[in-house]
Amino acid sequence: GVVTLVYDHHQPQLQERITEAQHCYYQLITSSTHVHMDHHNCLEVTIVKGKASAVRALAEQMIALRGVKNGTLTMSSTGGDLH
């Protein structure tokens, strides 16, 4: 899956809270990319892999952080464990 966040980088300690959430779920995270969009906004894209419930929990925690303007979780599956 992919967790995409757009947030105000002037929000106090938001980047630290995002990083803290990612560390709590480190076993799910494959990669994370940070992009400076303009003077006020950043884009954080986190690629995740794991159980859907855990991935959802991480995404919900990050999206709910104060200062996040937009957040989405996009999930997909290989279908291997689906019957």
Side-chain angles (χ1 to χ4, degrees), residues 1-3 10 16 21 25 34 39 42-43 47-50 52 58 62 65 67 70 82-83:
V2 179
V3 182
H10 292 295
E16 290 86 354
Y25 290 90
H34 180 94
H39 182 68
C42 291
L43 170 69
I47 300 171
V48 293
K49 180 180 178 183
L58 169 60
M62 290 171 50
L65 292 170
N70 183 276
L82 302 175
H83 298 270

Side-chain angles (χ1 to χ4, degrees), residues 3-22 32-46 59 61-72:
V3 182
T4 305
L5 304 175
V6 175
Y7 64 91
D8 178 357
H9 83 267
H10 292 295
Q11 180 71 37
Q13 295 163 346
L14 178 56
Q15 180 59 52
E16 290 86 354
R17 286 190 216 120
I18 291 170
T19 300
E20 194 173 297
Q22 290 171 336
S32 184
T33 300
H34 180 94
V35 178
H36 303 281
M37 297 174 72
D38 58 29
H39 182 68
H40 297 283
N41 297 291
C42 291
L43 170 69
E44 185 94 11
V45 177
T46 305
Q61 185 175 340
M62 290 171 50
I63 292 168
L65 292 170
R66 184 177 183 161
V68 173
K69 295 179 176 184
N70 183 276
T72 59

Side-chain angles (χ1 to χ4, degrees), residues 22-34:
Q22 290 171 336
H23 277 272
C24 289
Y25 290 90
Y26 73 91
Q27 70 279 11
L28 301 177
I29 297 177
T30 300
S31 178
S32 184
T33 300
H34 180 94

